Amino acid sequence: MTSKDLVIARIMAGQRRFQAAMARDRSSPFFSVNLTMQQLKILFTLRLHGGTGGQELAHLMGVSPATMTGIVDRLVAAHYVTRREDPQDRRVRRVQLTPAGDELIDGLMTAGEEHQTRILSRLSVDELTVVADAMEIMQRALAEDEAAGTEPSRH
Amino acid sequence: MTSKDLVIARIMAGQRRFQAAMARDRSSPFFSVNLTMQQLKILFTLRLHGGTGGQELAHLMGVSPATMTGIVDRLVAAHYVTRREDPQDRRVRRVQLTPAGDELIDGLMTAGEEHQTRILSRLSVDELTVVADAMEIMQRALAEDEAAGTEPSRH
DNA sequence: CCGGTTAGTTTGCCTTACGCTAATATTTCG
DNA sequence: CGAAATATTAGCGTAAGGCAAACTAACCGG
């Protein structure tokens, strides 16, 4: 185990503790989601893909097109997605998140931000600067990671 | 807007970008969860509370005791929770996560760790040290926050 | 233009899960 | 001992997902 590995392990342990503290916040939007798991999975999938055709979505979710029609019907009725004819191929129904759908996913993904902000507010300017530097470092590494290797694993 | 606020805003924006990149990882365990939302909410609730009586759990979830009996039946059958008689009051059924239940919740809460570890591996030792320092700073602030004010908002 | 293929929808059927009320049995406690 | 509390069972209803089969509209190549 290299010294880099040790530091990484320590960082990840800290991250886990942080995550556990966030999870203790009972105001998580997760508890107020009133969708089924399949519906939520579909919303996340649409977020990942920026919208898909109906056939493709059925395939991604591993269900029949008939089933997907029903599910999308209900998501449209709930105003979380839109279903539109594809201009290039009128057979295809493009399914996309609405702003409300986006909001719901964002809310789940950014749960705990208030809590985090509150914790950051406790820090001095010097401390905040260290945290900000660390964030810059991580962003750069993330950008490199995406430029270098996520293309093949993207799909 | 103070200069602290500006730095905090920048940190949170970075955090959001980071989160979005993690969400793009299709290997998220979320997609392989085959529980209903209500079941998952109950597992998270049990994690938060470390186990509860049946009546309490029904109340927390806002359903009748009869309904909760059925749901817990199914979670017991799936080996995610145990149900035991409370030694202090034999009317009460204490419901708790099993190790498998814990694992499932942990998996969801720590999703993306591999991805994060990979990104951290790209950093030099100096850079990692900055990130580790930042993490220390955050942990200290978190500890202070918990010592200071989470008691009243805990419930 | 036509025939074969593709994409999506409808219909009908089935299964699972949740949710409730009412009734019941056991346990607790004043 | 009786009333209240806890959990379970039975019965009923609704919603959602899931499939196969049939159907319609659209696409595309010969």
Side-chain angles (χ1 to χ4, degrees), chain A residues 31-85:
Chain A
F31 286 105
S32 56
V33 173
N34 60 354
L35 293 169
T36 66
M37 279 300 272
Q38 188 70 306
Q39 290 170 349
L40 191 56
K41 282 174 182 177
I42 286 164
L43 294 188
F44 270 106
T45 299
L46 289 174
R47 167 55 78 84
L48 284 176
H49 287 257
T52 69
Q55 168 91 336
E56 191 190 347
L57 189 55
H59 177 73
L60 285 172
M61 303 311 296
V63 300
S64 74
T67 298
M68 187 51 71
T69 296
I71 301 179
V72 172
D73 282 347
R74 288 183 285 276
L75 288 172
V76 166
H79 303 296
Y80 289 124
V81 309
T82 56
R83 176 166 40 193
R84 300 236 166 87
E85 191 177 87

Side-chain angles (χ1 to χ4, degrees), chain B residues 28-30 33 47 101-113:
Chain B
S28 171
F30 171 69
V33 174
R47 166 57 78 86
D102 263 316
E103 237 181 86
L104 184 139
I105 299 295
D106 279 343
L108 289 175
M109 283 176 25
T110 60
E113 277 204 359

Side-chain angles (χ1 to χ4, degrees), chain B residues 36 38-39 64 66-67 71 74 89-91:
Chain B
T36 65
Q38 188 69 308
Q39 290 171 350
S64 72
T67 297
I71 301 180
R74 287 183 287 277
D89 182 340
R90 294 186 33 245
R91 296 172 300 181

Side-chain angles (χ1 to χ4, degrees), chain A residues 44 47-48 105-106 109-110 113 139 142 146, chain B residues 12-26 115:
Chain A
F44 270 106
R47 167 55 78 84
L48 284 176
I105 299 296
D106 280 343
M109 283 176 26
T110 59
E113 276 206 359
Q139 296 301 313
L142 177 63
E146 290 184 330
Chain B
M12 294 313 291
Q15 172 70 10
R16 244 176 258 122
R17 275 197 296 277
F18 209 77
Q19 207 120 22
M22 294 301 110
R24 284 202 281 278
D25 192 344
R26 273 307 318 272
H115 194 167

